[in-house]
Amino acid sequence: MADRSFLDWPFFDDRHRAFAADLDAWVSRTDAIGLHGDHDLDGDCRTILKALAEGGWLNNAVPDANGTLDVRTLCLTRETLARRSGLADFVFAMQGLGSGPISLFGTDEQKARWLPGVAAGETIAAFALSEPDAGSDVAALSTSARPDGDGWVLNGTKTFISNGGLADRYTVFARTGEAPGARGLRIVERIPLMAPHPLATIRFSGCRIDGDRLLGQSGEGFRIAMATLDVFRSTVAAAALGFSRRAFDEAANRTVSRNLFGAPMTDLQLVQASLADMALKIDASALLIYRAAWLKDQGAPRVTREAAMAKLYATDEAQAVIDAAVQLFGGLGVVSGHPVERLYREIRALRIYEGASEVQKIVIARQALAAMSGGA
């Protein structure tokens, strides 16, 4: 059982502590959450989605009855699921991110129309932002949306789209006023990854969208995308934290139970130092993550700097924590399917998606310089 003492921090209310305990207990007894998509990726995703929906946990991926999207709850959910299964975390995360622009910027009518299906697991959501030539540089996207009567016609290609080919509903970001093409939405190809996740390249060619599906006003897409990432970058960090906690638990149990040179591995100062470094990185990550989440829940309009710091530090340091765990396991740590080997494959993508580590550094530097200028 992972250390849960961090829940005593003042970032959390009693409802968060009760929620975390309930989810942790549910995860431990729900077999579907242990699926990894190794043999039937789409089928496992749907099975996990159904289990999350039946457990009521998908309700936390969308705003509550008061219209609030609680970021600390999102982070606690992702951290807890990631500790058990990277794929379970992915399934929950995409329900939140894929519908996030609707949750944050949709009209009351749009929310009522599309969010209940997400919470019930009846609709699989996707967030279509990245393009072949517009990944880190989101402003360079070229997918176009041309006005057509009371609707729009989409043309362009999106890539590295999570739930691509599996989703029922896509939130698509596009430029307005460019030329049309042929017809329809087509899945060009599935993208195989080192850790199984349903990613794809999708192409829009003359794909007509009804006018009531426009979020916000024409020209607001970049702002909506960045504000959505403001919220969900903290949750990526939380998933990395879940991976880190699992890696630490595995390494601690291994070194306590395994003898080396006639004594438990934990008697060795080098092992103690490694475990200490891991514990330090985990707590530092958690502090950054739940600071960003708490600030957003307190009503901060933007948490760009705090979310970027959390995402950068937690994902990079999770890579280091997991690598240390693999090292402590020795040869067993690189055996395919072993928990730490799986974590080693699963963590790598988190340092790239929703803004690579290098992009987060640019964001943090710009925010820090802007704060200095504003205070001068």
Side-chain angles (χ1 to χ4, degrees):
M1 178 66 70
D3 177 14
R4 307 295 278 169
S5 60
F6 74 100
L7 288 167
D8 291 333
W9 294 350
F11 291 126
F12 302 103
D13 301 329
D14 286 342
R15 63 189 173 91
H16 293 112
R17 299 182 182 100
F19 172 85
D22 289 346
L23 178 58
D24 194 65
W26 181 83
V27 165
S28 68
R29 65 175 184 267
T30 305
D31 292 339
I33 302 304
L35 296 173
H36 296 287
D38 293 320
H39 305 294
D40 180 9
L41 179 56
D42 287 7
D44 285 355
C45 285
R46 293 183 186 279
T47 298
I48 292 170
L49 185 73
K50 180 180 179 182
L52 288 170
E54 290 177 347
W57 306 111
L58 291 182
N59 291 323
N60 301 291
V62 301
D64 60 22
N66 298 317
T68 301
L69 191 63
D70 191 89
V71 186
R72 284 168 292 178
T73 299
L74 285 170
C75 289
L76 286 168
T77 304
R78 291 202 63 178
E79 179 189 340
T80 303
L81 292 175
R83 221 171 59 235
R84 173 76 180 277
S85 164
L87 190 60
D89 163 65
F90 171 90
V91 170
F92 174 83
M94 286 315 304
Q95 290 297 91
L97 178 62
S99 61
I102 304 172
S103 298
L104 297 171
F105 295 96
T107 64
D108 289 343
E109 181 181 355
Q110 288 171 331
K111 292 176 182 178
R113 181 177 179 184
W114 291 313
L115 294 182
V118 172
E122 297 166 355
T123 299
I124 299 176
F127 184 87
L129 179 62
S130 296
E131 298 183 0
D133 296 317
S136 296
D137 184 7
V138 174
L141 65 82
S142 60
T143 295
S144 66
R146 175 180 60 85
D148 181 57
D150 61 353
W152 299 84
V153 174
L154 283 175
N155 290 283
T157 300
K158 298 290 185 179
T159 193
F160 294 111
I161 304 305
S162 297
N163 278 347
L166 185 64
D168 305 296
R169 194 102 51 234
Y170 296 81
T171 301
V172 181
F173 294 84
R175 292 188 177 277
T176 56
E178 300 181 21
R183 289 190 173 278
L185 178 155
R186 184 161 63 94
I187 307 303
V188 178
E189 63 175 344
R190 270 295 180 84
I191 302 172
L193 301 180
M194 64 174 70
H197 284 169
L199 264 68
T201 297
I202 60 178
R203 181 169 295 151
F204 302 93
S205 185
C207 182
R208 194 178 190 287
I209 305 297
D210 292 340
D212 63 357
R213 294 176 183 245
L214 177 66
L215 285 174
Q217 300 297 316
S218 179
E220 291 186 334
F222 183 81
R223 181 179 70 87
I224 290 174
M226 293 302 99
T228 302
L229 293 177
D230 248 16
V231 170
F232 286 92
R233 276 177 176 157
S234 297
T235 77
V236 177
L241 179 61
F243 290 160
S244 293
R245 291 195 193 280
R246 176 65 182 273
F248 181 87
D249 286 351
E250 294 288 340
N253 289 334
R254 170 72 170 178
T255 55
V256 165
S257 62
R258 181 171 172 79
N259 285 351
L260 198 62
F261 307 121
M265 288 180 66
T266 46
D267 284 359
L268 298 173
Q269 289 184 347
L270 281 173
V271 172
Q272 293 174 13
S274 182
L275 293 172
D277 285 342
M278 295 164 75
L280 176 61
K281 294 177 193 299
I282 288 169
D283 269 20
S285 296
L287 285 164
L288 286 169
I289 292 163
Y290 289 108
R291 176 188 70 160
W294 177 83
L295 281 171
K296 188 62 181 175
D297 288 341
Q298 297 309 299
R302 296 292 298 268
V303 289
T304 303
R305 173 176 172 168
E306 293 83 2
M309 285 182 170
K311 204 268 185 184
L312 169 64
Y313 188 86
T315 57
D316 280 4
E317 296 308 320
Q319 182 90 53
V321 167
I322 294 166
D323 184 72
V326 170
Q327 198 71 15
L328 288 171
F329 269 88
L332 188 59
V334 293
V335 172
S336 181
H338 190 278
V340 295
E341 182 272 339
R342 186 178 295 280
L343 289 167
Y344 193 84
R345 287 186 285 113
E346 288 177 329
I347 186 55
R348 193 60 185 84
L350 271 65
R351 296 175 61 200
I352 297 173
Y353 74 66
E354 291 192 39
S357 293
E358 293 74 14
V359 172
Q360 303 309 318
K361 291 178 181 180
I362 294 171
V363 171
I364 293 165
R366 288 176 175 172
Q367 290 287 312
L369 290 170
M372 289 178 62
S373 298

